Amino acid sequence: MKRLFVSIFAIAMLAGLGGTQPAFAQEEITPPAPPEPPAEVERNDDLERGIQRELERAEREIERAQRKAERAADRAARRLDARNDRVIVNIGDNSSLPAGEYADAVISVFGSATSAGEVGEAVVAIGGNSSATGPVGEGVVALFGNVYVDSEVGQDVVAIFGNVQLGPHAVVNGETVSVGGAITRDPASKVHGGQQQIAFGKNFGDMKWLKAWFENCLLYGRPLAFDSSVAWAWWLAFGFLGLYVLLAVMFDGTVQRCVTTLEERPGESTIATILAVLLSPILIILTLITVIGAALVPFLVLGLFCAAVFGKTVVLAALGRRITRFTGIGAFGHLAVATLIGGLIVLLLYTVPVVGFIVSNIVGALGFGVVVYTLLLAQRSRSAAPTAQPVAAAAPAASAAGFDPTIESAGIAGDGSTVPPPSPPPVSPSNVELNTLPRAGFWIRMGALTLDALIVAVVVNWLEPSGHLFLVALAGYGALMWKLKGTTIGGIVCNLRVVRTDGRDIEWETAIVRALGCFLSLIPAGLGFIWMVFDNGRQTWHDKIAGTVVVRAPKNTPLV
């Protein structure tokens, strides 16, 4: 009983302390199952995984870009180092750049330039072909050769006297130009700067004839060679020789005077040659820098060229006389024969390597200097001639005093013989005297006009290639020359002079009216010029308007 009471008391105490029912009175409680995740949570997981993949891909791209930048920096460094010593230049041989290599430029003189690698500036061939199948920073050029491009070119592609061919991978960011050849393009090629083709003939672009001259003549330092591929050079040389012989026939007196100067004064002629060659470029430059003198540069250059051609005639004649004087044949005594023989000797010397070019330069320069020196001597004798006139005027009084003034003015030579006094200079006739001279005919005037037109055409084409101002320039040239000199360059050559019918000097008004009257003579199919054929006074319409005539002055009459 006591044990039952203790058990009940213990149960009661536990119930009072826990505030709950007894354990045996409670139901068994099972934990609830976790809820299933919603669909949004699954989508977020997919998004996170996608972002993670993109981040990994971006990291890989960054690493790849870094490696690429490192390789580019590597190549740039190699290029920078290569630019100090990778300019490929060959003279008389081909220049080539293999694929995968870099060079600042690939240049070949008298050979072909080929580039399969990367070129920073240009691929150039002079006297050969240029080919670029790798990228080129600036341009591809061939002089006397063809150009082939099958890559990207930063600027222009030019072939002078050659053809241009663009492959399917060609990208030209500048212009494509062919002078004397043709341009052939693949349909896939690109030219961003346009193209220009200036062709002279069907096969002219090959320039095989000129390449043969480069290989057989120029590389050996000679103008001519005994080779059939340079036959054109021989024809050209014989053509100039014919011109020299013709000059010796037409101007035998002048050629004789220059030959005498060369034979009697070789030392002074050599010094004059050196000075003339050195001072000619300076004279041209000084003329160019002046506003008015710049227009005279073409005439100055033309005059120097004519002097050089005439001087070559003089040197050939002097050389030929060394042989013809010993033949004793009368026909060989003419300067034209001496010029021909001297020219044949020089042509043979032209075929000797190195010596050929030396002889060519010496003959041309010496002839030019002799002509200039002869002109200076003539001008000096003309300036000194008036000093003999007072001596001649005092001849009667001097004879009374007991001596011969002629001998005194002439002088005594080293061998005791007397030297004749210099002849007085020619005196320019007055306008009244010129008015009495024979009138110039139609053909001689047309010849002078043709020469003037050629000179003006050259100048106008140089200054303004379109040629629209040719007639205006010709009229202005005529008015200027008529006022200043009374004639033109063509008139000087043909010994013509424009004078007024009343004997007065030509004024600006007369010169301008005559120049404008030329247009009136030209408009009706040139009838105003032809009018002189039927006119008793041999006057054209512009002559009648201006009151002028054109006369033929005698030879050796100074017209300027």
Side-chain angles (χ1 to χ4, degrees), residues 87-107:
V87 176
I88 303 176
V89 180
N90 285 300
I91 299 177
D93 197 2
N94 300 328
S95 298
S96 179
L97 178 66
E101 296 187 11
Y102 174 86
D104 192 54
V106 179
I107 302 172

mmCIF file with all atom_site columns, all heavy atoms in Angstrom, residues 87-107:
data_model
loop_
_atom_site.group_PDB
_atom_site.id
_atom_site.type_symbol
_atom_site.label_atom_id
_atom_site.label_alt_id
_atom_site.label_comp_id
_atom_site.label_asym_id
_atom_site.label_entity_id
_atom_site.label_seq_id
_atom_site.pdbx_PDB_ins_code
_atom_site.Cartn_x
_atom_site.Cartn_y
_atom_site.Cartn_z
_atom_site.occupancy
_atom_site.B_iso_or_equiv
_atom_site.pdbx_formal_charge
_atom_site.auth_seq_id
_atom_site.auth_comp_id
_atom_site.auth_asym_id
_atom_site.auth_atom_id
_atom_site.pdbx_PDB_model_num
ATOM 1   N N   . VAL A 1 87  ? 66.500 46.017 -95.254  1.00 0.00 ? 87  VAL A N   1
ATOM 2   C CA  . VAL A 1 87  ? 66.142 46.647 -96.513  1.00 0.00 ? 87  VAL A CA  1
ATOM 3   C C   . VAL A 1 87  ? 66.878 45.869 -97.595  1.00 0.00 ? 87  VAL A C   1
ATOM 4   O O   . VAL A 1 87  ? 68.094 45.922 -97.707  1.00 0.00 ? 87  VAL A O   1
ATOM 5   C CB  . VAL A 1 87  ? 66.527 48.140 -96.544  1.00 0.00 ? 87  VAL A CB  1
ATOM 6   C CG1 . VAL A 1 87  ? 66.228 48.737 -97.909  1.00 0.00 ? 87  VAL A CG1 1
ATOM 7   C CG2 . VAL A 1 87  ? 65.774 48.888 -95.457  1.00 0.00 ? 87  VAL A CG2 1
ATOM 8   N N   . ILE A 1 88  ? 66.142 45.124 -98.391  1.00 0.00 ? 88  ILE A N   1
ATOM 9   C CA  . ILE A 1 88  ? 66.746 44.240 -99.390  1.00 0.00 ? 88  ILE A CA  1
ATOM 10  C C   . ILE A 1 88  ? 66.934 45.024 -100.677 1.00 0.00 ? 88  ILE A C   1
ATOM 11  O O   . ILE A 1 88  ? 65.963 45.463 -101.297 1.00 0.00 ? 88  ILE A O   1
ATOM 12  C CB  . ILE A 1 88  ? 65.856 43.016 -99.617  1.00 0.00 ? 88  ILE A CB  1
ATOM 13  C CG1 . ILE A 1 88  ? 65.629 42.274 -98.297  1.00 0.00 ? 88  ILE A CG1 1
ATOM 14  C CG2 . ILE A 1 88  ? 66.461 42.104 -100.661 1.00 0.00 ? 88  ILE A CG2 1
ATOM 15  C CD1 . ILE A 1 88  ? 64.671 41.103 -98.413  1.00 0.00 ? 88  ILE A CD1 1
ATOM 16  N N   . VAL A 1 89  ? 68.175 45.239 -101.071 1.00 0.00 ? 89  VAL A N   1
ATOM 17  C CA  . VAL A 1 89  ? 68.497 46.004 -102.276 1.00 0.00 ? 89  VAL A CA  1
ATOM 18  C C   . VAL A 1 89  ? 69.514 45.219 -103.097 1.00 0.00 ? 89  VAL A C   1
ATOM 19  O O   . VAL A 1 89  ? 70.525 44.750 -102.558 1.00 0.00 ? 89  VAL A O   1
ATOM 20  C CB  . VAL A 1 89  ? 69.065 47.399 -101.934 1.00 0.00 ? 89  VAL A CB  1
ATOM 21  C CG1 . VAL A 1 89  ? 69.380 48.164 -103.203 1.00 0.00 ? 89  VAL A CG1 1
ATOM 22  C CG2 . VAL A 1 89  ? 68.083 48.178 -101.085 1.00 0.00 ? 89  VAL A CG2 1
ATOM 23  N N   . ASN A 1 90  ? 69.245 45.086 -104.386 1.00 0.00 ? 90  ASN A N   1
ATOM 24  C CA  . ASN A 1 90  ? 70.174 44.426 -105.296 1.00 0.00 ? 90  ASN A CA  1
ATOM 25  C C   . ASN A 1 90  ? 70.250 45.222 -106.589 1.00 0.00 ? 90  ASN A C   1
ATOM 26  O O   . ASN A 1 90  ? 69.226 45.711 -107.088 1.00 0.00 ? 90  ASN A O   1
ATOM 27  C CB  . ASN A 1 90  ? 69.727 42.996 -105.614 1.00 0.00 ? 90  ASN A CB  1
ATOM 28  C CG  . ASN A 1 90  ? 69.995 42.049 -104.458 1.00 0.00 ? 90  ASN A CG  1
ATOM 29  O OD1 . ASN A 1 90  ? 71.135 41.881 -104.048 1.00 0.00 ? 90  ASN A OD1 1
ATOM 30  N ND2 . ASN A 1 90  ? 68.947 41.463 -103.917 1.00 0.00 ? 90  ASN A ND2 1
ATOM 31  N N   . ILE A 1 91  ? 71.450 45.368 -107.114 1.00 0.00 ? 91  ILE A N   1
ATOM 32  C CA  . ILE A 1 91  ? 71.671 46.049 -108.387 1.00 0.00 ? 91  ILE A CA  1
ATOM 33  C C   . ILE A 1 91  ? 72.203 45.020 -109.380 1.00 0.00 ? 91  ILE A C   1
ATOM 34  O O   . ILE A 1 91  ? 73.235 44.401 -109.150 1.00 0.00 ? 91  ILE A O   1
ATOM 35  C CB  . ILE A 1 91  ? 72.661 47.219 -108.224 1.00 0.00 ? 91  ILE A CB  1
ATOM 36  C CG1 . ILE A 1 91  ? 72.110 48.246 -107.231 1.00 0.00 ? 91  ILE A CG1 1
ATOM 37  C CG2 . ILE A 1 91  ? 72.949 47.880 -109.567 1.00 0.00 ? 91  ILE A CG2 1
ATOM 38  C CD1 . ILE A 1 91  ? 73.040 49.395 -106.952 1.00 0.00 ? 91  ILE A CD1 1
ATOM 39  N N   . GLY A 1 92  ? 71.452 44.865 -110.474 1.00 0.00 ? 92  GLY A N   1
ATOM 40  C CA  . GLY A 1 92  ? 71.836 43.884 -111.462 1.00 0.00 ? 92  GLY A CA  1
ATOM 41  C C   . GLY A 1 92  ? 71.443 42.464 -111.101 1.00 0.00 ? 92  GLY A C   1
ATOM 42  O O   . GLY A 1 92  ? 71.879 41.516 -111.736 1.00 0.00 ? 92  GLY A O   1
ATOM 43  N N   . ASP A 1 93  ? 70.619 42.303 -110.063 1.00 0.00 ? 93  ASP A N   1
ATOM 44  C CA  . ASP A 1 93  ? 70.177 40.972 -109.647 1.00 0.00 ? 93  ASP A CA  1
ATOM 45  C C   . ASP A 1 93  ? 68.777 41.103 -109.056 1.00 0.00 ? 93  ASP A C   1
ATOM 46  O O   . ASP A 1 93  ? 68.302 42.211 -108.745 1.00 0.00 ? 93  ASP A O   1
ATOM 47  C CB  . ASP A 1 93  ? 71.135 40.386 -108.614 1.00 0.00 ? 93  ASP A CB  1
ATOM 48  C CG  . ASP A 1 93  ? 70.943 38.876 -108.465 1.00 0.00 ? 93  ASP A CG  1
ATOM 49  O OD1 . ASP A 1 93  ? 70.108 38.324 -109.199 1.00 0.00 ? 93  ASP A OD1 1
ATOM 50  O OD2 . ASP A 1 93  ? 71.627 38.288 -107.618 1.00 0.00 ? 93  ASP A OD2 1
ATOM 51  N N   . ASN A 1 94  ? 68.109 39.968 -108.851 1.00 0.00 ? 94  ASN A N   1
ATOM 52  C CA  . ASN A 1 94  ? 66.760 39.956 -108.303 1.00 0.00 ? 94  ASN A CA  1
ATOM 53  C C   . ASN A 1 94  ? 66.779 40.092 -106.790 1.00 0.00 ? 94  ASN A C   1
ATOM 54  O O   . ASN A 1 94  ? 67.726 39.651 -106.132 1.00 0.00 ? 94  ASN A O   1
ATOM 55  C CB  . ASN A 1 94  ? 66.023 38.679 -108.705 1.00 0.00 ? 94  ASN A CB  1
ATOM 56  C CG  . ASN A 1 94  ? 65.892 38.533 -110.204 1.00 0.00 ? 94  ASN A CG  1
ATOM 57  O OD1 . ASN A 1 94  ? 65.792 39.530 -110.920 1.00 0.00 ? 94  ASN A OD1 1
ATOM 58  N ND2 . ASN A 1 94  ? 65.885 37.303 -110.685 1.00 0.00 ? 94  ASN A ND2 1
ATOM 59  N N   . SER A 1 95  ? 65.722 40.670 -106.254 1.00 0.00 ? 95  SER A N   1
ATOM 60  C CA  . SER A 1 95  ? 65.544 40.790 -104.809 1.00 0.00 ? 95  SER A CA  1
ATOM 61  C C   . SER A 1 95  ? 64.300 39.995 -104.419 1.00 0.00 ? 95  SER A C   1
ATOM 62  O O   . SER A 1 95  ? 63.263 40.097 -105.078 1.00 0.00 ? 95  SER A O   1
ATOM 63  C CB  . SER A 1 95  ? 65.376 42.254 -104.399 1.00 0.00 ? 95  SER A CB  1
ATOM 64  O OG  . SER A 1 95  ? 66.530 43.002 -104.709 1.00 0.00 ? 95  SER A OG  1
ATOM 65  N N   . SER A 1 96  ? 64.406 39.214 -103.331 1.00 0.00 ? 96  SER A N   1
ATOM 66  C CA  . SER A 1 96  ? 63.308 38.336 -102.939 1.00 0.00 ? 96  SER A CA  1
ATOM 67  C C   . SER A 1 96  ? 63.166 38.319 -101.423 1.00 0.00 ? 96  SER A C   1
ATOM 68  O O   . SER A 1 96  ? 64.167 38.286 -100.694 1.00 0.00 ? 96  SER A O   1
ATOM 69  C CB  . SER A 1 96  ? 63.540 36.918 -103.466 1.00 0.00 ? 96  SER A CB  1
ATOM 70  O OG  . SER A 1 96  ? 62.501 36.062 -103.081 1.00 0.00 ? 96  SER A OG  1
ATOM 71  N N   . LEU A 1 97  ? 61.915 38.337 -100.957 1.00 0.00 ? 97  LEU A N   1
ATOM 72  C CA  . LEU A 1 97  ? 61.607 38.215 -99.530  1.00 0.00 ? 97  LEU A CA  1
ATOM 73  C C   . LEU A 1 97  ? 60.720 36.995 -99.335  1.00 0.00 ? 97  LEU A C   1
ATOM 74  O O   . LEU A 1 97  ? 59.592 36.940 -99.815  1.00 0.00 ? 97  LEU A O   1
ATOM 75  C CB  . LEU A 1 97  ? 60.880 39.473 -99.033  1.00 0.00 ? 97  LEU A CB  1
ATOM 76  C CG  . LEU A 1 97  ? 60.467 39.451 -97.561  1.00 0.00 ? 97  LEU A CG  1
ATOM 77  C CD1 . LEU A 1 97  ? 61.695 39.457 -96.661  1.00 0.00 ? 97  LEU A CD1 1
ATOM 78  C CD2 . LEU A 1 97  ? 59.560 40.633 -97.235  1.00 0.00 ? 97  LEU A CD2 1
ATOM 79  N N   . PRO A 1 98  ? 61.208 35.951 -98.622  1.00 0.00 ? 98  PRO A N   1
ATOM 80  C CA  . PRO A 1 98  ? 60.414 34.731 -98.450  1.00 0.00 ? 98  PRO A CA  1
ATOM 81  C C   . PRO A 1 98  ? 59.196 34.965 -97.556  1.00 0.00 ? 98  PRO A C   1
ATOM 82  O O   . PRO A 1 98  ? 59.110 35.950 -96.815  1.00 0.00 ? 98  PRO A O   1
ATOM 83  C CB  . PRO A 1 98  ? 61.412 33.762 -97.797  1.00 0.00 ? 98  PRO A CB  1
ATOM 84  C CG  . PRO A 1 98  ? 62.765 34.362 -98.027  1.00 0.00 ? 98  PRO A CG  1
ATOM 85  C CD  . PRO A 1 98  ? 62.556 35.826 -98.080  1.00 0.00 ? 98  PRO A CD  1
ATOM 86  N N   . ALA A 1 99  ? 58.259 34.035 -97.613  1.00 0.00 ? 99  ALA A N   1
ATOM 87  C CA  . ALA A 1 99  ? 57.063 34.108 -96.779  1.00 0.00 ? 99  ALA A CA  1
ATOM 88  C C   . ALA A 1 99  ? 57.434 33.943 -95.302  1.00 0.00 ? 99  ALA A C   1
ATOM 89  O O   . ALA A 1 99  ? 58.357 33.215 -94.949  1.00 0.00 ? 99  ALA A O   1
ATOM 90  C CB  . ALA A 1 99  ? 56.069 33.021 -97.197  1.00 0.00 ? 99  ALA A CB  1
ATOM 91  N N   . GLY A 1 100 ? 56.692 34.676 -94.455  1.00 0.00 ? 100 GLY A N   1
ATOM 92  C CA  . GLY A 1 100 ? 56.939 34.605 -93.026  1.00 0.00 ? 100 GLY A CA  1
ATOM 93  C C   . GLY A 1 100 ? 58.024 35.525 -92.532  1.00 0.00 ? 100 GLY A C   1
ATOM 94  O O   . GLY A 1 100 ? 58.260 35.599 -91.330  1.00 0.00 ? 100 GLY A O   1
ATOM 95  N N   . GLU A 1 101 ? 58.684 36.251 -93.427  1.00 0.00 ? 101 GLU A N   1
ATOM 96  C CA  . GLU A 1 101 ? 59.740 37.178 -93.019  1.00 0.00 ? 101 GLU A CA  1
ATOM 97  C C   . GLU A 1 101 ? 59.281 38.613 -93.255  1.00 0.00 ? 101 GLU A C   1
ATOM 98  O O   . GLU A 1 101 ? 58.319 38.865 -93.991  1.00 0.00 ? 101 GLU A O   1
ATOM 99  C CB  . GLU A 1 101 ? 61.033 36.898 -93.788  1.00 0.00 ? 101 GLU A CB  1
ATOM 100 C CG  . GLU A 1 101 ? 61.630 35.542 -93.498  1.00 0.00 ? 101 GLU A CG  1
ATOM 101 C CD  . GLU A 1 101 ? 62.986 35.376 -94.133  1.00 0.00 ? 101 GLU A CD  1
ATOM 102 O OE1 . GLU A 1 101 ? 63.534 36.395 -94.624  1.00 0.00 ? 101 GLU A OE1 1
ATOM 103 O OE2 . GLU A 1 101 ? 63.500 34.243 -94.153  1.00 0.00 ? 101 GLU A OE2 1
ATOM 104 N N   . TYR A 1 102 ? 60.009 39.528 -92.636  1.00 0.00 ? 102 TYR A N   1
ATOM 105 C CA  . TYR A 1 102 ? 59.661 40.956 -92.735  1.00 0.00 ? 102 TYR A CA  1
ATOM 106 C C   . TYR A 1 102 ? 60.856 41.739 -93.273  1.00 0.00 ? 102 TYR A C   1
ATOM 107 O O   . TYR A 1 102 ? 62.005 41.430 -92.979  1.00 0.00 ? 102 TYR A O   1
ATOM 108 C CB  . TYR A 1 102 ? 59.275 41.513 -91.359  1.00 0.00 ? 102 TYR A CB  1
ATOM 109 C CG  . TYR A 1 102 ? 59.041 43.005 -91.386  1.00 0.00 ? 102 TYR A CG  1
ATOM 110 C CD1 . TYR A 1 102 ? 57.807 43.528 -91.726  1.00 0.00 ? 102 TYR A CD1 1
ATOM 111 C CD2 . TYR A 1 102 ? 60.078 43.891 -91.084  1.00 0.00 ? 102 TYR A CD2 1
ATOM 112 C CE1 . TYR A 1 102 ? 57.606 44.893 -91.759  1.00 0.00 ? 102 TYR A CE1 1
ATOM 113 C CE2 . TYR A 1 102 ? 59.886 45.254 -91.123  1.00 0.00 ? 102 TYR A CE2 1
ATOM 114 C CZ  . TYR A 1 102 ? 58.646 45.753 -91.458  1.00 0.00 ? 102 TYR A CZ  1
ATOM 115 O OH  . TYR A 1 102 ? 58.447 47.103 -91.510  1.00 0.00 ? 102 TYR A OH  1
ATOM 116 N N   . ALA A 1 103 ? 60.527 42.762 -94.073  1.00 0.00 ? 103 ALA A N   1
ATOM 117 C CA  . ALA A 1 103 ? 61.552 43.699 -94.552  1.00 0.00 ? 103 ALA A CA  1
ATOM 118 C C   . ALA A 1 103 ? 60.914 45.061 -94.694  1.00 0.00 ? 103 ALA A C   1
ATOM 119 O O   . ALA A 1 103 ? 59.716 45.189 -94.974  1.00 0.00 ? 103 ALA A O   1
ATOM 120 C CB  . ALA A 1 103 ? 62.142 43.246 -95.890  1.00 0.00 ? 103 ALA A CB  1
ATOM 121 N N   . ASP A 1 104 ? 61.717 46.080 -94.474  1.00 0.00 ? 104 ASP A N   1
ATOM 122 C CA  . ASP A 1 104 ? 61.227 47.449 -94.610  1.00 0.00 ? 104 ASP A CA  1
ATOM 123 C C   . ASP A 1 104 ? 60.946 47.779 -96.061  1.00 0.00 ? 104 ASP A C   1
ATOM 124 O O   . ASP A 1 104 ? 59.983 48.468 -96.381  1.00 0.00 ? 104 ASP A O   1
ATOM 125 C CB  . ASP A 1 104 ? 62.251 48.416 -94.036  1.00 0.00 ? 104 ASP A CB  1
ATOM 126 C CG  . ASP A 1 104 ? 61.669 49.813 -93.884  1.00 0.00 ? 104 ASP A CG  1
ATOM 127 O OD1 . ASP A 1 104 ? 60.617 49.945 -93.239  1.00 0.00 ? 104 ASP A OD1 1
ATOM 128 O OD2 . ASP A 1 104 ? 62.246 50.762 -94.449  1.00 0.00 ? 104 ASP A OD2 1
ATOM 129 N N   . ALA A 1 105 ? 61.770 47.293 -96.993  1.00 0.00 ? 105 ALA A N   1
ATOM 130 C CA  . ALA A 1 105 ? 61.577 47.533 -98.422  1.00 0.00 ? 105 ALA A CA  1
ATOM 131 C C   . ALA A 1 105 ? 62.312 46.453 -99.195  1.00 0.00 ? 105 ALA A C   1
ATOM 132 O O   . ALA A 1 105 ? 63.319 45.909 -98.728  1.00 0.00 ? 105 ALA A O   1
ATOM 133 C CB  . ALA A 1 105 ? 62.080 48.919 -98.828  1.00 0.00 ? 105 ALA A CB  1
ATOM 134 N N   . VAL A 1 106 ? 61.783 46.163 -100.383 1.00 0.00 ? 106 VAL A N   1
ATOM 135 C CA  . VAL A 1 106 ? 62.420 45.217 -101.302 1.00 0.00 ? 106 VAL A CA  1
ATOM 136 C C   . VAL A 1 106 ? 62.644 45.962 -102.612 1.00 0.00 ? 106 VAL A C   1
ATOM 137 O O   . VAL A 1 106 ? 61.682 46.352 -103.280 1.00 0.00 ? 106 VAL A O   1
ATOM 138 C CB  . VAL A 1 106 ? 61.548 43.969 -101.527 1.00 0.00 ? 106 VAL A CB  1
ATOM 139 C CG1 . VAL A 1 106 ? 62.231 43.020 -102.492 1.00 0.00 ? 106 VAL A CG1 1
ATOM 140 C CG2 . VAL A 1 106 ? 61.270 43.277 -100.202 1.00 0.00 ? 106 VAL A CG2 1
ATOM 141 N N   . ILE A 1 107 ? 63.908 46.193 -102.979 1.00 0.00 ? 107 ILE A N   1
ATOM 142 C CA  . ILE A 1 107 ? 64.253 47.029 -104.127 1.00 0.00 ? 107 ILE A CA  1
ATOM 143 C C   . ILE A 1 107 ? 65.227 46.267 -105.018 1.00 0.00 ? 107 ILE A C   1
ATOM 144 O O   . ILE A 1 107 ? 66.168 45.642 -104.525 1.00 0.00 ? 107 ILE A O   1
ATOM 145 C CB  . ILE A 1 107 ? 64.881 48.363 -103.675 1.00 0.00 ? 107 ILE A CB  1
ATOM 146 C CG1 . ILE A 1 107 ? 63.916 49.120 -102.752 1.00 0.00 ? 107 ILE A CG1 1
ATOM 147 C CG2 . ILE A 1 107 ? 65.241 49.224 -104.876 1.00 0.00 ? 107 ILE A CG2 1
ATOM 148 C CD1 . ILE A 1 107 ? 64.515 50.340 -102.104 1.00 0.00 ? 107 ILE A CD1 1
#
